[in-house]
Amino acid sequence: MKYFVLVGIIGIILAFSSCSHSEAKEYSALKNRLDSLESNAYTPGFGEFMNTIEIHHAKLWFAGTDQNWPLAQYELDEMKETFDDLQKYVKDRPEVKEIPMIDPALKDLGQAIESKDVNRFKPAYTTLTISCNSCHKATNHGFNVITIPTAPPVTDQKFMPAK
Ligand code: HEC
């Protein structure tokens, strides 16, 4: 009887130890998988986010001056989202800390769009553009000079409100 109890206890111990052994194996396989996902995942660089922001910035001018307010709002929202993504995904660049300097200009432009007033929109847009350049100067990228666009960035999109 004692013998059976002993065998039973040993069996239970073995079952547990093999279970924790296979768990450890599973854990290390999962960890390897995660490490490989992390090092192979594609994340756009700072400059790529900036290129996206540049396109929204340019489209925003034509949407606003053509008084297509829903499109202007849309472009502004996309630009804000791209700044948020930049903060979220670009971890290795100290310049990310400077992003909040653009917030007052974005807010002001949002109010101009909401008021549907092109005479408020234009100066707010100029202030935004100055803020882009202030950050470029502050981050040693003053050679990247942003201006008010003179031609639409694409020719396959209509900026006037649809009838
Ligand atoms: C946080 C500060 C900051 C703000 C705000 C900012 N930029 Fe930049 N921008 C940078 C930095 C830093 C670079 C250089 C990125 C790199 O190293 O690739 C850059 C680069 C660029 C480039 C060059 C991208 C390329 O590869 O040719 C453009 C265009 C640009 N920014 C547009 C804008 C526009 C438009 C705004 C405003 C709506 C803006 N930026 C606001 C910091 C900023």
Side-chain angles (χ1 to χ4, degrees), residues 45-48 50-51 53-55 57-58 79 83 86 93 95-102 106 128-129 131-136 139 141 143-144 146:
F46 206 121
E48 284 158 276
M50 278 293 149
N51 273 331
I53 287 169
E54 179 182 29
I55 300 287
H57 174 267
M79 196 194 300
F83 275 117
L86 179 57
R93 295 283 300 266
E95 297 98 320
V96 165
K97 284 200 305 287
E98 304 292 339
I99 292 174
M101 76 155 65
I102 200 96
L106 291 172
L128 173 72
T129 308
S131 305
C132 303
N133 289 322
S134 301
C135 196
H136 291 168
T139 56
H141 286 86
F143 52 85
N144 267 322
I146 306 303

Side-chain angles (χ1 to χ4, degrees), residues 19-33:
C19 167
S20 72
H21 177 68
S22 75
E23 263 174 21
K25 257 172 99 175
E26 213 171 292
Y27 171 82
S28 96
L30 274 174
K31 193 176 174 305
N32 287 344
R33 193 89 210 282

Side-chain angles (χ1 to χ4, degrees), residues 22-153:
S22 75
E23 263 174 21
K25 257 172 99 175
E26 213 171 292
Y27 171 82
S28 96
L30 274 174
K31 193 176 174 305
N32 287 344
R33 193 89 210 282
L34 262 181
D35 289 347
S36 127
L37 276 175
E38 231 168 44
S39 56
N40 291 315
Y42 170 73
T43 322
F46 206 121
E48 284 158 276
F49 282 109
M50 278 293 149
N51 273 331
T52 305
I53 287 169
E54 179 182 29
I55 300 287
H56 293 306
H57 174 267
K59 288 185 176 180
L60 182 54
W61 174 253
F62 292 95
T65 52
D66 283 343
Q67 307 198 40
N68 187 345
W69 302 117
L71 179 61
Q73 185 63 54
Y74 173 84
E75 294 298 346
L76 181 67
D77 289 343
E78 290 295 309
M79 196 194 300
K80 284 185 192 162
E81 239 172 64
T82 314
F83 275 117
D84 289 347
D85 286 346
L86 179 57
Q87 263 166 312
K88 186 170 165 195
Y89 293 111
V90 178
K91 304 272 187 215
D92 58 340
R93 295 283 300 266
E95 297 98 320
V96 165
K97 284 200 305 287
E98 304 292 339
I99 292 174
M101 76 155 65
I102 200 96
D103 290 347
L106 291 172
K107 192 166 171 234
D108 203 37
L109 198 56
Q111 284 166 353
I113 292 169
E114 217 170 286
S115 72
K116 300 185 164 95
D117 181 353
V118 74
N119 294 319
R120 221 176 130 183
F121 174 83
K122 285 181 182 175
Y125 187 92
T126 305
T127 306
L128 173 72
T129 308
I130 291 170
S131 305
C132 303
N133 289 322
S134 301
C135 196
H136 291 168
K137 282 189 197 137
T139 56
N140 298 319
H141 286 86
F143 52 85
N144 267 322
V145 181
I146 306 303
T147 62
I148 292 175
T150 52

